[in-house]
Amino acid sequence: MNYQDIFERQVDQLRSENRYRYFVELERISGRHPYALWNHPDGAREVIIWCSNDYLGMGQSQNAIEAMRNAVSEHGTGAGGTRNISGTSSSIVKLEDELAALHRKERALVFTSGYVANEASIASLISLLDNPIILSDSMNHASIISGIRYGRAEKAIFRHNDIVHLEELLAALPHERHKIIIFESVYSMDGDISPIAEIAALARKYNALTYLDEVHAVGMYGAEGGGIAQRDGLEDQIDIIQGTLGKAYGAMGGYIAASDAVCDAIRGYGSGFIFTTAMPPALAEAAHASITYLRGSSDERRAQQEQASYLKKCLEERNMPALPSSSHIVPVMVGDATKCSEISWTLLQDYGLYIQPINYPTVPRGTERLRITPGPLHTKEMVDRLVDCLEAVFQDIRPPAYDGVMMPSRLAKNA
């Protein structure tokens, strides 16, 4: 048996379905976000990034850079092992205290990534409860799905943001049965926001825990950047808040914030926490610097929202197929995998604009799109040029969404 042939056939299958992932080599330029250098075979070219998850440009914040630089000089580059083996650094303890205060929770627990935080926490919760059932939004992302699978719990999927359907599922279950409702605040592919208050009310009515993934909202919303739950005054109605340090905070890592009992239980039973090398002190210090800064400054959040609103307005004026979005994420629909990749490449090659194509399995087939995330360091002039270039490329390539051949009616611009 030739194992290599098996792998090559599988990769060929990805290519034939336009699902092969090509990585564009980009070098971020310190102090010049959103500009980056594209390492093109003909020589480095300067481009503008329009799809970064470093939503506020905090990855190049001088506060965070200085905090990381000082920590590396003082503590070195690594953590030396797990927190049990090598001890817990004061940098992580300080970071966890800051995160607990940010979300008004008793405690926080830091992981090496948001993905690990979800997978380890959800699987641990499942193992600690008695025959629980997980009620999961149909658009929850991969790390939540992985945590549910790893925990091997029974699950019930409710239609996206559908409160009526969620209550139907809850009402059919015994009141005393252990339940966890898992959902996100901002859904990163459509840019819509969940009805947190209504879900929390159902959880109280039907005796369920609430687990809210705020990875695309922390740093971005609320008076101190605590997310949508903070913005809407609902933090005390959510049992477990999960977040990331790798998006709006511009560092790396993930966390949960909850009660002492929940965090202590996951700390003691979560294999993804127990057996993973701890976050290095330098990363913890950089994340802490970003969080403390954004707790005291709303300027970046305000500027980001202004740019997102301006972009949405410009796209609507040009009749571009942008999905209605109530968040900072602006999806522009394409509707075809091949054309989505072609549009992305043309924008990069001909106009110096980088927007990653979003194809299946990240989104359903037929709903391929460009996901744009304008930030506070983009200018209105940049937005104007982006829209001009998008319109020119869409007119040339003619994707289905631009010609009005939309996918499900929910995604249609004027549905």
Side-chain angles (χ1 to χ4, degrees):
M1 180 183 295
N2 189 330
Y3 289 102
Q4 300 310 309
D5 286 347
I6 296 173
F7 301 135
E8 288 174 4
R9 284 197 300 272
Q10 295 296 328
V11 172
D12 288 341
Q13 179 71 20
L14 290 176
R15 288 195 176 96
S16 70
E17 296 176 0
N18 292 293
R19 294 197 292 124
Y20 185 81
R21 295 175 186 265
Y22 294 94
F23 295 154
V24 177
E25 191 173 328
L26 297 173
E27 305 291 349
R28 283 152 54 90
I29 307 168
S30 182
R32 295 200 59 212
H33 185 80
Y35 288 96
L37 286 178
W38 173 31
N39 289 327
H40 188 272
D42 296 335
R45 299 184 190 176
E46 195 171 87
V47 301
I48 298 176
I49 298 177
W50 282 101
C51 56
S52 175
N53 282 346
D54 186 359
Y55 294 131
L56 302 177
M58 292 302 293
Q60 299 187 28
S61 157
Q62 287 306 306
N63 288 341
I65 290 171
E66 191 65 23
M68 178 176 277
R69 182 183 293 120
N70 291 340
V72 168
S73 297
E74 189 171 348
H75 304 294
T77 59
T82 68
R83 292 170 73 174
N84 184 56
I85 289 173
S86 295
T88 294
S89 73
S90 60
S91 299
I92 292 183
V93 174
K94 181 173 67 173
L95 174 59
E96 289 178 337
D97 288 345
E98 190 72 20
L99 288 165
L102 171 68
H103 293 292
R104 313 295 193 268
K105 297 297 184 187
E106 292 178 344
R107 194 164 171 180
L109 192 64
V110 168
F111 298 78
T112 52
S113 73
Y115 194 104
V116 173
N118 266 338
E119 189 175 68
S121 298
I122 293 169
S124 297
L125 290 168
I126 290 169
S127 71
L128 294 166
L129 296 175
D130 181 17
N131 186 33
I133 182 168
I134 307 300
L135 296 106
S136 179
D137 188 285
S138 62
M139 287 187 67
N140 280 341
H141 52 202
S143 58
I144 292 175
I145 296 168
S146 180
I148 296 170
R149 286 176 176 167
Y150 186 49
R152 298 181 181 179
E154 182 183 348
K155 66 179 182 294
I157 308 300
F158 61 94
R159 290 186 293 272
H160 178 54
N161 283 348
D162 189 331
I163 297 301
V164 173
H165 188 215
L166 174 59
E167 182 160 22
E168 288 174 359
L169 295 173
L170 286 165
L173 298 169
H175 187 77
E176 65 277 7
R177 185 173 181 186
H178 292 174
K179 315 169 193 71
I180 310 175
I181 304 172
I182 303 180
F183 60 112
E184 302 175 38
S185 59
V186 175
Y187 287 85
S188 64
M189 289 300 119
D190 283 10
D192 56 339
I193 294 174
S194 62
I196 298 175
E198 291 87 343
I199 292 175
L202 288 179
R204 292 191 299 274
K205 181 178 179 180
Y206 292 100
N207 190 34
L209 283 172
T210 47
Y211 185 107
L212 176 62
D213 181 313
E214 290 248 43
V215 296
H216 291 279
V218 290
M220 302 295 293
Y221 300 91
E224 298 181 353
I228 299 294
Q230 182 181 90
R231 184 196 71 177
D232 296 347
L234 300 169
E235 290 168 307
D236 62 339
Q237 298 182 36
I238 301 298
D239 296 298
I240 301 149
I241 294 175
Q242 184 265 347
T244 184
L245 305 170
K247 292 184 171 62
Y249 292 127
M252 186 176 179
Y255 64 90
I256 61 166
S259 67
D260 271 329
V262 166
C263 290
D264 221 17
I266 292 173
R267 187 180 74 92
Y269 288 90
S271 60
F273 174 84
I274 296 169
F275 299 111
T276 300
T277 297
M279 175 186 289
L283 269 176
E285 291 290 348
H288 182 269
S290 286
I291 294 165
T292 54
Y293 175 82
L294 289 173
R295 288 188 72 185
S297 174
S298 295
D299 292 344
E300 292 76 14
R301 287 188 284 276
R302 188 179 305 112
Q304 192 283 325
Q305 289 293 337
E306 288 174 359
Q307 295 297 356
S309 295
Y310 182 65
L311 173 59
K312 293 172 189 178
K313 172 179 170 289
C314 291
L315 291 169
E316 184 176 4
E317 288 173 350
R318 302 289 186 90
N319 201 31
M320 295 292 290
L323 198 63
S325 163
S326 53
S327 73
H328 58 283
I329 295 165
V330 184
V332 176
M333 305 306 293
V334 175
D336 178 87
T338 301
K339 291 192 173 185
C340 194
S341 297
E342 184 182 359
I343 289 169
S344 174
W345 177 252
T346 303
L347 287 168
L348 179 64
Q349 176 75 30
D350 295 350
Y351 299 99
L353 306 175
Y354 177 65
I355 311 175
Q356 177 200 17
I358 306 294
N359 293 337
Y360 178 84
T362 306
V363 295
R365 286 186 175 91
T367 70
E368 294 82 5
R369 66 199 66 183
L370 302 176
R371 175 185 176 272
I372 306 175
T373 55
L377 298 177
H378 291 101
T379 64
K380 286 192 173 181
E381 291 74 20
M382 289 180 183
V383 173
D384 289 338
R385 181 171 178 269
L386 169 66
V387 175
D388 286 342
C389 297
L390 279 169
E391 185 176 39
V393 174
F394 271 59
Q395 285 179 351
D396 183 47
I397 295 176
R398 312 300 303 189
Y402 190 61
D403 286 334
V405 185
M406 288 300 293
M407 298 63 62
S409 59
R410 185 180 69 82
L411 298 175
K413 183 171 181 287
N414 298 312

